[in-house]
């Protein structure tokens, strides 16, 4: 009978060489994550259960802020405006971006790089500048948009003052920033194997059939990605709307709640009314809603998206 000695526990060894340098280079990011992201998130979660105005000490209120949100009519209005904007903006922006990417995919030679740059340039424009720009472009009396509609005999609406048209004006303004989505879809189109389309063409498939049966499945992963990213971005819409409609006290009184978005209302509660506890509760509600919507999109998307595995590629 042989007796084996008990295995010695492994001793932790300090990382060496490249591993040590990897941790060194990651350290600034890890510190930033803890100090500027995880730390404030934990603090806001704690503040969401308090009444805090930045002046006095936080006063614990339990679920009082969350109960107040359920009874606040402005929260319901802001949620409704934000969801309606998201439902309209996301499909419309992806369809237009896909159309632009298809056109861009047809451009060859040196002109291709020029057009890619032109299509992406609007994404580099600061959001505040975009808000100011469209405040003039959508002006009901002297705006360029209504001027173009007038050439076709159409009397343009009051985009920036009529509550029934403000949301439509915001959606129109948001279409300015299609550069990132266009470039992502263009890159996906470039990776579609041309032999698949050629084989389908030989079999007699028309342009629409090739697009539906070959192009869309092959770029479905990119489409899935931009749907999630655009949805998250739309639910956090703030800069342009605040610049256009909430930049001054007079404009806030004139426009009312027609252009009130969720993050705009969160900002008002935090930095105008100093209701930091209530604003923290609003922020966590938004976080949970985005997480829930993203989880549903991932669940549904995994059934619809085609991923080219090594087995498929053989």
């Amino acid at each position: 009978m042989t007796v084996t000695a008990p295995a010695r526990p492994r001793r932790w060894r300090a990382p060496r060489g490249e591993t040590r340098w990897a941790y060194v280079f990651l350290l600034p990011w890890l510190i930033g994550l803890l100090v500027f992201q995880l730390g404030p998130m934990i603090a806001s979660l704690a503040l969401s259960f308090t009444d805090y105005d930045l002046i006095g000490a936080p006063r614990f209120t339990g679920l009082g802020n969350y109960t107040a949100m359920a009874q606040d009519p402005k929260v319901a209005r802001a949620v409704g405006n934000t969801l309606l904007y998201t439902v309209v903006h996301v499909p419309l922006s992806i369809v237009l971006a896909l159309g632009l990417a298809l056109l861009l995919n047809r451009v060859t030679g040196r002109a291709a790089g020029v057009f890619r740059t032109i299509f992406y340039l609007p994404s580099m424009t600061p959001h505040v500048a975009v808000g100011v720009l469209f405040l003039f472009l959508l002006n009901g009396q002297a705006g360029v948009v209504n001027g173009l509609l007038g050439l076709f005999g159409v009397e343009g609406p009051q985009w920036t003052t009529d509550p029934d048209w403000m949301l439509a004006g915001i959606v129109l303004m948001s279409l300015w920033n299609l550069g990132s989505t266009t470039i992502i879809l263009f890159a996906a189109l470039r990776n579609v194997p041309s032999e698949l389309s050629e084989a389908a063409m030989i079999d007699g498939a028309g342009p629409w059939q090739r697009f539906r049966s070959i192009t869309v499945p092959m770029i479905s992963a990119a489409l899935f990605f931009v749907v999630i990213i655009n949805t998250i971005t739309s639910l956090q819409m703030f800069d342009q709307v605040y610049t256009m409609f909430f930049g001054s006290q007079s404009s806030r009184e004139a426009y009312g709640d027609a252009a009130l978005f969720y993050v705009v209302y969160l900002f008002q509660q935090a930095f105008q009314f100093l209701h930091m506890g209530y604003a923290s509760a609003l922020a966590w509600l938004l976080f949970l809603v985005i997480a829930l919507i993203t989880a549903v999109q991932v669940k549904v998307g995994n059934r619809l998206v085609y991923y080219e595995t090594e087995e498929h590629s053989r």
Side-chain angles (χ1 to χ4, degrees), residues 188 214-226 301 304-307:
I214 297 176
T215 304
V216 171
M218 294 299 295
I219 67 170
S220 57
L223 288 171
F224 176 54
F225 174 75
V226 296
L304 301 177
V305 175
Y306 168 76
Y307 295 102

Side-chain angles (χ1 to χ4, degrees), residues 106 205-212 215:
R106 292 178 174 270
W208 170 249
Q209 290 177 313
R210 296 197 303 272
F211 174 76
R212 183 185 61 184
T215 304

Side-chain angles (χ1 to χ4, degrees), residues 94-119 178 181-190 211 215 219:
I94 291 177
V95 169
L96 291 177
L98 180 57
L100 293 175
L102 289 170
L103 292 176
L104 193 60
N105 197 38
R106 292 178 174 270
V107 181
T108 58
R110 295 181 178 179
V114 175
F115 280 103
R116 284 198 295 268
T117 303
I118 293 174
F119 281 21
L178 294 178
T181 305
T182 301
I183 295 301
I184 291 172
L185 295 178
F186 168 72
L189 289 171
R190 298 282 289 183
F211 174 76
T215 304
I219 67 170

Side-chain angles (χ1 to χ4, degrees), residues 14-30:
R16 299 179 179 179
E18 294 182 356
T19 304
R20 180 184 301 174
W21 281 109
Y23 284 117
V24 170
F25 286 114
L26 284 174
L27 188 61
W29 179 85
L30 291 173

Side-chain angles (χ1 to χ4, degrees), residues 183-206:
I183 295 301
I184 291 172
L185 295 178
F186 168 72
L189 289 171
R190 298 282 289 183
N191 289 327
V192 176
S194 58
E195 55 266 20
L196 295 179
S197 297
E198 294 172 357
M201 189 182 303
I202 294 174
D203 291 339

Side-chain angles (χ1 to χ4, degrees), residues 236-251:
Q236 300 180 82
M237 181 68 161
F238 171 73
D239 306 63
Q240 300 98 313
V241 175
Y242 190 85
T243 302
M244 290 181 67
F245 300 105
F246 298 93
S248 63
Q249 182 65 33
S250 59
S251 62

